[in-house]
Amino acid sequence: MSLVPSVPPVPPVTLVSAQPYDFELPTQHCALVIIDMQRDFLEPGGFGDALGNDVLRLQAIVPALKTLLTACRAQGMTIVHTIECHRPDLSDCPPAKLKRGEGSLKIGDRGGMGRILIAGEPGNGIIDDLAPLPGEIVLEKPGKGAFCRTPFEALLQERGITHLLLTGVTTEVCVQTTMREANDRGYECLLVEDCTESYFAAFKEATLAMVTAQGGIVGWTAPSTNVLAAMNWNVLA
Ligand code: C5J
């Protein structure tokens, strides 16, 4: 897949064809937020696998997300990558989170890619295809939502960000939690349909339906091709 650049220039506010209605996208005040595209969730031997999930399901979104990331970078947008992780001594992991689950491996245990969900371990890093570039925000978060015990809101405010394009995994856990937290803080949020995935197809479908219900009670959804089109990018197959 390749991108053909923008002609004519994108206006300060462009419209994305979205559900439940068009999303106004002010590109200079918008951040692309990529949630937890970590080996711990996408590859065998990590946290997702330890919980009994088919982690390969999540890899299907990588090409579309990579294309969107390329376009947003070219647009000069703020890029935020989140990582769900804990300190090696687990001091930032609530006992309830540590105890949860019935898998053979728990947070902090040694798995096939190092200690599970621990900052700095090989499995905790972002996958190579979506590796952050210098200057992009890499936000470590101990919870499911990106606003919980992190400087996320302050970082967005410093940059004058009012709108978020949400992507990543998993749709109904960290992505939806972050979208709801952002919505309550007054951010306009669009969840990019083909750039988010769940271990459970029905949960993804339900999340897309519930965030846009009641006139967009939590926000908007749209396929990445609609976001790219709004920014005057054409995707060639
Ligand atoms: C989960 C996440 N599913 N990134 N984390 O535990 O959604």
Side-chain angles (χ1 to χ4, degrees):
M1 206 186 285
S2 61
L3 284 169
V4 179
S6 103
V7 181
V10 183
V13 180
T14 182
L15 276 188
V16 181
S17 175
Q19 291 299 326
Y21 54 91
D22 287 354
F23 179 74
E24 286 185 14
L25 178 68
T27 52
Q28 294 313 305
H29 298 280
C30 182
L32 173 67
V33 184
I34 304 177
I35 307 271
D36 300 358
M37 289 298 285
Q38 303 163 237
R39 299 180 69 205
D40 253 326
F41 294 107
L42 280 91
E43 294 182 14
F47 186 53
D49 189 19
L51 294 175
N53 298 299
D54 171 12
V55 292
L56 300 182
R57 266 189 66 81
L58 305 192
Q59 295 183 10
I61 64 169
V62 174
L65 184 46
K66 198 173 168 182
T67 302
L68 183 64
L69 174 59
T70 302
C72 291
R73 280 176 173 156
Q75 206 67 47
M77 262 188 208
T78 295
I79 310 291
V80 182
H81 306 259
T82 72
I83 297 183
E84 183 175 345
C85 63
H86 295 283
R87 296 187 194 130
D89 65 2
L90 297 172
S91 56
D92 59 350
C93 186
K97 183 175 181 184
L98 200 53
K99 276 196 295 184
R100 193 79 51 83
E102 297 177 322
S104 51
L105 293 174
K106 294 211 182 290
I107 297 170
D109 288 349
R110 196 157 292 282
M113 296 188 289
R115 292 183 67 201
I116 290 191
L117 228 57
I118 299 298
E121 294 287 334
N124 202 238
I126 293 171
I127 59 169
D128 289 346
D129 272 336
L130 302 171
L133 291 180
E136 294 178 351
I137 297 171
V138 179
L139 186 78
E140 296 190 347
K141 63 180 181 62
K144 302 305 180 192
F147 290 86
C148 178
R149 287 178 280 137
T150 73
F152 191 30
E153 191 163 16
L155 291 167
L156 296 176
Q157 283 172 356
E158 276 167 20
R159 289 163 177 76
I161 300 298
T162 54
H163 289 56
L164 304 178
L165 297 177
L166 288 150
T167 65
V169 298
T170 60
T171 314
E172 78 284 5
V173 185
C174 292
V175 177
Q176 181 173 204
T177 302
T178 299
M179 185 165 179
R180 289 178 181 276
E181 288 178 329
N183 182 59
D184 279 353
R185 285 167 173 78
Y187 293 93
E188 303 281 27
C189 299
L190 182 142
L191 176 54
V192 187
E193 293 163 9
D194 53 331
C195 293
T196 183
E197 194 48 88
S198 167
Y199 299 122
F200 308 93
F203 290 177
K204 171 177 175 176
E205 199 182 326
T207 302
L208 297 177
M210 72 176 78
V211 299
T212 56
Q214 303 174 77
I217 192 126
V218 182
W220 287 258
T221 69
S224 61
T225 45
N226 290 13
V227 179
L228 293 167
M231 298 193 298
N232 293 341
W233 289 91
N234 292 314
V235 180
L236 302 180

